[in-house]
Amino acid sequence: MTAIHPTMRRVCALGVLAALPIVLLAGCGGGGGGGGSSDPAPAVTSISPTTGTALGGTIITINGAFFGSSSSGLGVKFGTSSAASITYVSSTTIKATSPPGAGTVDITVSTSSGTSPVSAADKYVYSTDGPPPPPL
């Protein structure tokens, strides 16, 4: 088998030439057979801004990958609290409004394919300074 291009998600060998045995690979699904999602789990690569008021209401731009093709099934958490609102921009960008909170938390994105792993790129710090910014 040859190397797979990084954007390819799955290779399923269904069979080979007549005299050779048929080869099936585990996890090959699709087409409505209930094989589950073949998309990778989302990943967060950066957030902006990285701080906001403890009262919530800060609109955060979240950049990354594999955020899906719409807001359907999309979730964002600030630590264990759900975002106050989510706006889908693209498969690599979403906007989320922070809920009230305290301290430093990880912002994670969830889709039907899983939840983004925590990393240094998703750290958000709640500040006790000032009121929330005005809505855009």
Side-chain angles (χ1 to χ4, degrees):
M1 194 173 296
T2 60
I4 300 170
H5 189 275
T7 60
M8 291 182 75
R9 295 188 178 130
R10 180 177 289 195
V11 173
C12 295
L14 298 178
V16 290
L17 299 174
L20 299 174
I22 293 176
V23 178
L24 297 176
L25 299 177
C28 293
S37 175
S38 63
D39 293 330
V44 175
T45 57
S46 68
I47 62 169
S48 180
T50 57
T51 62
T53 176
L55 300 173
T58 303
I59 298 172
I60 310 298
T61 299
I62 304 167
N63 297 302
F66 308 113
F67 294 160
S69 58
S70 72
S71 61
S72 177
L74 187 63
V76 175
K77 291 217 176 205
F78 287 70
T80 58
S81 300
S82 294
S85 68
I86 301 168
T87 302
Y88 176 86
V89 177
S90 71
S91 64
T92 60
T93 304
I94 53 180
K95 293 183 183 281
T97 303
S98 65
T104 300
V105 297
D106 292 293
I107 295 178
T108 55
V109 175
S110 297
T111 67
S112 60
S113 298
T115 300
S116 61
V118 297
S119 71
D122 67 26
K123 302 290 185 213
Y124 180 75
V125 180
Y126 282 101
S127 168
T128 56
D129 299 333
L136 295 178

